[in-house]
Amino acid sequence: MPKNKIEDVMEVCLLAGRLMLQNGAETYRVEDTITRLAQNYNMEAAQVFVTPTAIILSLLEKGKTKDYTKIVRILDRSTDLHVVVLVNDLSRKVANESLSLETAKKELKKIEVTPEAYPTWVQVVAAILVSGCFGLMFKGNWNDFLPATIAGGVGYALFLFSKRYISVRFFSELLAAFFIGLIAKLAITAGIGDQLDKIIIGAVMPLVPGVLITNAVRDLMAGHLVSGISLGAEAMLTAFAIGTGIAFVIVTL
């Protein structure tokens, strides 16, 4: 493999890490992928520290004594495990097929502009079905199924729409929860549905931060205390936003 410039290796490693972290990968997986990429491009040493909002990478070239260090801030995060899989596959190709640095960079750029695995309308339809089924699973009845699907679908669509314009995710979740509570309350008042709590529980499930909670526990168990605590705090904030939106409707209406 030809000698690569350390700046180019740094760019590829950080781009791979950023794509993974922005799309819901665990911090240990991001660190592992970056380290493997750096090793495959002949770096003598790679020290990487990942938190949910930043990646710090330090590389050392063979025969050199000074490290090259760079930091990348992660401002936007969502969940798209398809992107995580694509970057993981690319990392394995680099190891198994000796992919050149330039090719790896082009592939990562393609992944960066890859559209979401599931378009928005599919996500909303999934939220509709999930809401109704969770309502039944939590011992709701078939009369609660319809209002739960409507509340869950409207709430999740509002969440997806509002987060494009509201930079603070907390307010998008609070707004979605408020309308879920409002629709559930109106449905009960109109005689559509029997159990308010079952309708609300089913409808808020698409907003529940399951990936965040799983990653927080996984990171804490792996000893990544900073990222584990950060993700846990973010999950609690999301739960607080959902609870606040629902409570506001129940108390005031």
Side-chain angles (χ1 to χ4, degrees):
M1 185 175 286
K3 181 175 173 60
N4 298 301
K5 289 184 180 178
I6 191 169
E7 295 88 350
D8 295 333
V9 177
M10 175 72 78
E11 184 181 356
V12 166
C13 290
L14 287 177
L15 179 55
R18 178 168 63 79
L19 289 174
M20 294 181 78
L21 201 57
Q22 282 180 331
N23 289 283
E26 310 94 318
T27 54
Y28 85 91
R29 191 184 302 278
V30 177
E31 290 182 353
D32 184 61
T33 300
I34 290 177
T35 303
R36 288 176 187 276
L37 281 172
Q39 288 172 346
N40 283 306
Y41 287 120
N42 297 322
M43 292 295 109
E44 184 169 320
Q47 295 291 330
V48 55
F49 180 72
V50 176
T51 73
T53 55
I55 301 173
I56 303 171
L57 176 60
S58 181
L59 297 177
L60 177 64
E61 274 187 292
K62 287 183 178 175
K64 298 290 179 67
T65 55
K66 289 186 178 179
D67 291 340
Y68 184 77
T69 304
K70 205 168 180 180
I71 181 171
V72 169
R73 287 286 307 275
I74 307 297
L75 300 176
D76 299 317
R77 282 175 292 132
S78 62
T79 303
D80 188 346
L81 299 184
H82 179 60
V83 172
V84 177
V85 171
L86 290 177
V87 178
N88 260 333
D89 289 344
L90 180 68
S91 165
R92 293 191 186 96
K93 278 186 184 176
V94 170
N96 299 329
E97 302 173 17
S98 299
L99 217 60
S100 72
L101 193 63
E102 189 62 29
T103 306
K105 186 178 175 182
K106 286 180 182 174
E107 291 294 323
L108 286 170
K109 291 288 185 185
K110 283 183 189 174
I111 295 171
E112 188 174 21
V113 295
T114 298
E116 287 184 321
Y118 301 102
T120 302
W121 71 269
V122 174
Q123 295 179 46
V124 173
V125 169
I128 289 171
L129 296 175
V130 164
S131 300
C133 293
F134 268 113
L136 292 177
M137 197 180 81
F138 287 113
K139 298 184 178 179
N141 57 41
W142 284 104
N143 290 334
D144 303 323
F145 183 83
L146 180 61
T149 58
I150 295 172
V154 172
Y156 195 70
L158 267 175
F159 167 70
L160 293 177
F161 178 76
S162 61
K163 77 174 186 179
R164 296 178 185 173
Y165 303 100
I166 302 175
S167 58
V168 182
R169 184 186 172 102
F170 175 87
F171 293 110
S172 298
E173 293 160 342
L174 192 149
L175 180 69
F178 172 80
F179 276 94
I180 286 173
L182 182 63
I183 292 170
K185 190 89 173 178
L186 291 175
I188 292 293
T189 305
I192 308 170
D194 297 329
Q195 303 171 82
L196 179 64
D197 56 339
K198 303 298 187 295
I199 296 172
I200 290 175
I201 290 171
V204 300
M205 289 310 287
L207 299 176
V208 171
V211 174
L212 274 180
I213 295 169
T214 304
N215 286 352
V217 174
R218 176 66 182 79
D219 283 342
L220 285 172
M221 290 175 68
H224 298 263
L225 302 181
V226 174
S227 60
I229 292 172
S230 301
L231 291 173
E234 188 176 353
M236 287 186 66
L237 199 60
T238 297
F240 180 69
I242 295 172
T244 303
I246 298 295
F248 186 81
V249 173
I250 292 175
V251 171
T252 58
L253 300 180

